[in-house]
Amino acid sequence: MASLKETPGAGTSRIVISVDAMGGDRGPATVVAGIWYSARKNPELDFILHGPQDELEKLVSRRKGLSDRCTIRDAQGVVTMNDKPSQVMRHGKGTSMWSALESVREGEATVAVSCGNTGALMALSMIRLRRLPGVNRPAIAILWPSRNPQGFNVMLDVGADIKADAQDLLQYALMGAAYARNGLALERPRVGLLNVGTEEHKGRAELKEAHDLIASREVAGKYQFVGFVEGGDIPGDTCDVIVTDGFTGNVALKTGEGTAKLIGDLLREAFAYSPLSRIASLLALTSLSRLKKRIDPRRVNGGVFLGLNGTVVKSHGSADATGVSAAVKLAFELARSGFGDRLAARVASAAEGAQDGAAQKDLNQP
């Protein structure tokens, strides 16, 4: 994945990523293959791998050079896709997911990566890592292919919580802008608030309130607020960050992924229709390969949990080795940029500013 910009002047110290080896649908062999791909491309990258030690030792030993850069932490329990978050919160200790988050909590690793159950991962992350001061609801941010020069837009929330009031949406705007600055090298990201229309009178009451709040924090948050945007702007060039609640964002995300797959299937059918169309596909092979790479969800795999005392990257549960490698690449770039510390500082500054503003408002009351 080539979504994040290189960090100028980055150091050469070792960066450690904590990986839950047992959460994906394809099993630990796929996860190990994915981290091996990343290890070969990034010589300063090391791993703490969590899962059954005997099984993981065999898989790691088959990948040349990986054992020298990988520490295995024995964790016999596995969080399945069918487990309820409430059950995992009570009985998750001893699982590979819990162990992976614990390495970030203890400062052994900078970022945790898991292909596991999204609800359980968010629940455990909130318990083990805790929310940043001033954050009510953490959010999941993803990179969405777009027509912007950077190639991607940031969208959040895409499923951490189905609810979001005006204050939550303001926090999402601040966190999304911080992600865009560090992940896409945008000095002053443009932020849009997703709505059913761009007119200021449209939308629910909390959206109108959020509109005014986000606009009022534009200077302090170091972003440009473009106002309301619509669904068609998600892959467009109107803004760089799209803010919405988790219910709407998750529906949009799944719709986009399904549409990308449909386009790919229809193209294959069209080029297989006749001998002439098959010849045309050979002539267009380079362009088709470029298009496939551009819309391939595996290469932008990885949602980032924002608003926690630690960075967590959630990979698709069905990710193959390429997808796992993309999620690890995202985790690596965020760790190298010092994103977690910068985000915490930005949220703390915003919280202080909000308190000062509220206090000033009280003083001005007759």
Side-chain angles (χ1 to χ4, degrees):
M1 185 182 75
S3 56
L4 296 184
K5 305 294 184 183
E6 298 296 326
T7 304
T12 58
S13 60
R14 310 301 296 175
I15 292 175
V16 182
I17 306 297
S18 178
V19 181
D20 171 14
M22 307 306 294
D25 297 338
R26 299 171 184 256
T30 297
V31 175
V32 171
I35 68 172
W36 183 60
Y37 293 164
S38 292
R40 291 187 300 170
K41 295 177 182 177
N42 302 294
E44 65 266 50
L45 185 57
D46 290 333
F47 302 94
I48 303 176
L49 194 59
H50 304 263
Q53 186 167 353
D54 292 343
E55 183 176 3
L56 294 182
E57 284 179 345
K58 293 176 184 177
L59 293 171
V60 169
S61 66
R62 296 171 189 165
R63 303 288 177 173
K64 184 178 179 181
L66 185 58
S67 58
D68 296 333
R69 297 168 59 184
C70 187
T71 299
I72 296 174
R73 291 287 167 78
D74 185 49
Q76 296 295 322
V78 177
V79 176
T80 71
M81 293 298 180
N82 296 322
D83 287 338
K84 294 181 179 179
S86 57
Q87 295 175 335
V88 176
M89 289 171 68
R90 291 193 298 268
H91 309 293
K93 191 173 183 179
T95 64
S96 57
M97 184 181 288
W98 180 292
S99 184
L101 293 171
E102 203 66 17
S103 287
V104 175
R105 174 187 168 95
E106 296 299 325
E108 298 174 313
T110 309
V111 183
V113 176
S114 176
C115 302
N117 182 319
T118 303
L121 182 61
M122 177 56 78
L124 284 186
S125 297
M126 290 178 66
I127 289 175
R128 303 313 300 159
L129 302 179
R130 302 293 183 181
R131 294 189 295 262
L132 288 171
V135 173
N136 183 32
R137 287 189 174 96
I140 301 176
I142 55 102
L143 295 172
W144 194 297
S146 77
R147 288 190 291 271
N148 272 318
Q150 68 270 15
F152 297 90
N153 290 336
V154 175
M155 181 170 169
L156 73 165
D157 179 25
V158 295
D161 199 318
I162 63 172
K163 298 179 181 179
D165 60 20
Q167 192 65 39
D168 295 328
L169 294 171
L170 169 60
Q171 291 173 356
Y172 295 171
L174 292 166
M175 294 190 296
Y179 185 18
R181 273 192 298 273
N182 289 276
L184 299 175
L186 299 174
E187 185 176 348
R188 194 163 180 258
R190 297 165 300 160
V191 175
L193 181 60
L194 191 62
N195 199 356
V196 294
T198 58
E199 299 87 352
E200 291 189 12
H201 66 274
K202 287 191 174 182
R204 303 188 304 270
E206 62 267 26
L207 285 176
K208 296 175 184 178
E209 184 183 352
H211 180 284
D212 295 339
L213 282 174
I214 296 172
S216 70
R217 299 296 297 167
E218 189 176 29
V219 175
K222 296 183 180 180
Y223 57 78
Q224 177 187 348
F225 183 50
V226 301
F228 288 132
V229 295
E230 299 178 288
D233 296 314
I234 296 174
D237 56 6
T238 301
C239 59
D240 308 299
V241 179
I242 298 97
V243 173
T244 188
D245 61 86
F247 182 91
T248 306
N250 192 262
V251 171
L253 173 63
K254 299 297 173 59
T255 301
E257 290 175 344
T259 301
K261 185 178 185 303
L262 175 63
I263 291 172
D265 292 342
L266 292 176
L267 280 172
R268 280 190 292 271
E269 290 178 10
F271 281 115
Y273 181 72
S274 68
L276 284 177
S277 62
R278 285 192 285 272
I279 294 173
S281 70
L282 292 175
L283 295 174
L285 185 60
T286 301
S287 297
L288 289 173
S289 297
R290 189 180 299 114
L291 173 63
K292 180 181 179 182
K293 184 176 181 180
R294 188 76 173 83
I295 66 174
D296 187 353
R298 299 178 306 165
R299 297 184 181 276
V300 288
N301 177 42
V304 183
F305 290 3
L306 301 179
L308 301 168
N309 284 299
T311 306
V312 179
V313 172
K314 169 64 176 71
S315 168
H316 280 294
S318 59
D320 60 8
T322 299
V324 172
S325 179
V328 170
K329 172 74 179 297
L330 173 60
F332 169 68
E333 295 291 357
L334 289 175
R336 188 168 62 167
S337 72
F339 171 70
D341 292 337
R342 294 182 184 183
L343 177 62
R346 174 59 56 197
V347 171
S349 175
E352 290 174 3
Q355 290 174 357
D356 292 343
Q360 187 63 43
K361 183 178 179 180
D362 290 340
L363 288 173
N364 293 335
Q365 291 293 330

